[in-house]
Amino acid sequence: DGCIKAVGQADVIRNQFSEATFERIIDCSGKCVLPGLVDAHTHPVWAGDRVHEFAMKLAGASYMEIHQAGGGIHFTVEHTRKATEEELFSTFKHRLERMLRAGSTLVECKSGYGLNWETELKMLRVIERAKRSMDIGISSTYCGAHSVPKGKTATEATDDIINNHLPKLKELQLRGEIHVNNIDVFCEKGVFDLESTRRILQAGKDIGLQINFHGDELHPMKSAELGAELGALAISHLEEVSDEGITAMARANCAAVLLPTTAYMLRLKQPQARKMLEEGVIVALGSDFNPNAYCFSMPMVMHLACVNMKMSMNEALAAATINAAYALGKSDTHGSLEVGKQGDLVIINSSRWEHLIYQFGGHEALINYVIVKGKVVYQNEMCETMSSY
């Protein structure tokens, strides 16, 4: 059934299953078996490359300057609206395959580059199709409030989402055509203010979606306090979170999804991972894969979390497995090697698991097998012929 039957000492398991026959046995002598990695925040469905913006950022342009010049999210929206469902699915599928080869077995995937109902639905359909046809696990997120569409005010966009998008989404969910897990809003100065964010998140919660949103990234917005109050499962970014917000999240068991790639690429101050951990916040990690932060690899995210956010390797591994699964409402089935949980594993070509974090960008020669629901979905032949050191 794709679930783990036993975990423990080899001789004990050998005795327990002495009568059993196996389709396949993998010799892991000198290797490490880890839970499949969980990427708790990605934007992987889009068209239109933004490599030119990377050059602008390197020359000193800020995220909001690019955004106001018609770049950023609006550039991607324009290209995603023009793309066919087939084109979007094709690029999305390749991105997910790259994530899988880097050890991710469960990925959160957002819409949000449509900003009108037709394109948001097109993106959600693409995500649904991947859910049904691919091995990798997907938690899908409706993120229609990713930005204010051109020609609308934030209030008009909020009303449109609450009165049009969410009722249509609810109907599709009831008909079983689509299964969306989370609702997301970009709560930010010049985007959706606290009151608009509250209204949208509450409306999403009312139709059964888990609250998991962008907050306190570029300006302190009191997003963390709002999330704790609304019973949010998780809040992402939090570079500008207040001390009160951290305390509120710890009390509410609201996970902080930290994105070290974003702070690194935008040269922002890093989220206060140490303070959050010390205060008892559940800290998770995500790649924030999108045209602005083009990173597929959770091993690289863990490395950046350790170096730039001062997390220990143990904390980073927990944040990229069990805590990231918690942020998606899936820690009862994913994120650790326990009897009864889904058999999602990564086997690395090293006797010490820390190499997965220590070797920056080394995952391509380190990850030997990726297993989802007990089935080998990726086997790296390079590991059989070369040392990973």
Side-chain angles (χ1 to χ4, degrees):
D1 62 1
C3 293
I4 296 168
K5 297 296 161 208
V7 179
Q9 296 295 331
D11 52 352
V12 176
I13 289 180
R14 212 170 273 126
N15 289 337
Q16 190 183 342
F17 291 90
S18 57
E19 305 299 311
T21 54
F22 294 93
E23 225 170 85
R24 181 169 184 185
I25 293 173
I26 298 172
D27 183 357
C28 294
S29 307
K31 301 181 193 285
C32 263
V33 184
L34 293 167
L37 302 177
V38 180
D39 188 340
H41 183 122
T42 80
H43 300 258
V45 184
W46 46 268
D49 201 309
R50 270 162 47 195
V51 68
H52 61 285
E53 286 183 12
F54 187 51
M56 291 164 74
K57 285 185 207 104
L58 296 178
S62 75
Y63 177 86
M64 278 320 233
E65 281 166 355
I66 291 168
H67 187 73
Q68 279 150 6
I73 291 171
H74 290 303
F75 178 88
T76 306
V77 167
E78 197 181 315
H79 286 75
T80 306
R81 284 180 178 178
K82 287 177 189 162
T84 65
E85 197 168 308
E86 207 49 55
E87 286 166 342
L88 288 175
F89 180 72
S90 174
T91 51
F92 177 45
K93 185 169 176 276
H94 289 303
R95 289 164 191 161
L96 287 177
E97 283 164 356
R98 287 178 71 178
M99 290 175 181
L100 191 70
R101 291 198 296 273
S104 290
T105 55
L106 173 61
V107 179
E108 184 265 2
C109 299
K110 302 176 192 294
S111 71
Y113 292 119
L115 309 185
N116 60 29
W117 172 245
E118 298 71 33
T119 317
E120 288 297 312
L121 179 58
K122 180 170 65 175
M123 295 179 76
L124 292 171
R125 281 212 172 101
V126 164
I127 295 168
E128 188 69 27
R129 190 169 153 193
K131 259 190 190 183
R132 291 176 182 178
S133 63
M134 294 185 71
D135 294 308
I136 196 166
I138 293 172
S139 175
S140 62
T141 302
Y142 163 77
C143 187
H146 194 198
S147 185
V148 177
K150 284 182 178 171
K152 277 198 168 128
T153 64
T155 307
E156 287 166 345
T158 301
D159 290 341
D160 186 35
I161 287 165
I162 292 169
N163 300 327
N164 297 316
H165 293 211
L166 291 175
K168 287 174 184 168
L169 184 57
K170 182 184 177 181
E171 197 179 309
L172 289 168
Q173 298 245 75
L174 289 171
R175 292 212 303 259
E177 285 182 36
I178 224 158
H179 297 91
V180 177
N181 306 98
N182 315 290
I183 178 127
D184 191 352
V185 175
F186 187 14
C187 181
E188 184 54 70
K189 197 172 168 184
V191 191
F192 289 92
D193 67 14
L194 208 61
E195 197 41 48
S196 297
T197 301
R198 176 196 296 277
R199 289 179 59 211
I200 296 167
L201 293 177
Q202 186 60 55
K205 188 179 180 179
D206 290 345
I207 65 162
L209 302 178
Q210 300 172 145
I211 297 176
N212 188 331
F213 71 110
H214 291 62
D216 295 329
E217 179 187 359
L218 304 170
H219 299 92
M221 298 286 293
K222 296 202 182 304
S223 304
E225 292 90 326
L226 175 68
E229 182 197 324
L230 292 177
L233 198 52
I235 306 170
S236 292
H237 281 293
L238 300 165
E239 288 87 350
E240 296 287 345
V241 69
S242 68
D243 291 350
E244 295 75 20
I246 292 174
T247 304
M249 286 179 73
R251 283 198 190 125
N253 290 328
C254 173
V257 179
L258 305 184
L259 309 168
T261 46
T262 315
Y264 165 73
M265 290 187 195
L266 293 178
R267 296 168 172 161
L268 302 173
K269 74 177 189 192
Q270 295 284 335
Q272 300 177 69
R274 284 260 51 87
K275 183 170 171 58
M276 291 180 196
L277 287 160
E278 281 152 20
E279 295 233 4
V281 175
I282 298 159
V283 171
L285 288 171
S287 67
D288 196 16
F289 172 79
N290 72 75
N292 172 56
Y294 208 104
C295 174
F296 294 107
S297 164
M298 286 304 288
M300 292 177 86
V301 170
M302 289 190 284
H303 179 101
L304 288 172
C306 292
V307 174
N308 288 341
M309 300 196 313
K310 301 182 173 60
M311 289 173 76
S312 71
M313 286 190 283
N314 287 12
E315 287 165 343
L317 183 67
T321 52
I322 190 70
N323 291 3
Y326 175 87
L328 303 178
K330 289 187 177 283
S331 53
D332 53 340
T333 51
H334 294 69
S336 58
L337 303 182
E338 296 180 71
V339 173
K341 283 198 171 184
Q342 190 165 300
D344 293 1
L345 328 171
V346 174
I347 299 171
I348 66 165
N349 190 24
S350 167
S351 58
R352 293 196 56 159
W353 68 266
E354 291 94 340
H355 274 274
L356 193 59
I357 298 176
Y358 164 60
Q359 293 189 23
F360 189 48
H363 56 274
E364 286 179 2
L366 260 176
I367 293 176
N368 198 163
Y369 297 90
V370 179
I371 296 168
V372 175
K373 293 183 183 172
K375 178 178 126 190
V376 175
V377 294
Y378 170 64
Q379 182 174 351
N380 185 351
E381 304 296 343
M382 273 168 63
C383 291
E384 310 308 327
T385 56
M386 63 181 280
S387 161
S388 60
Y389 307 110

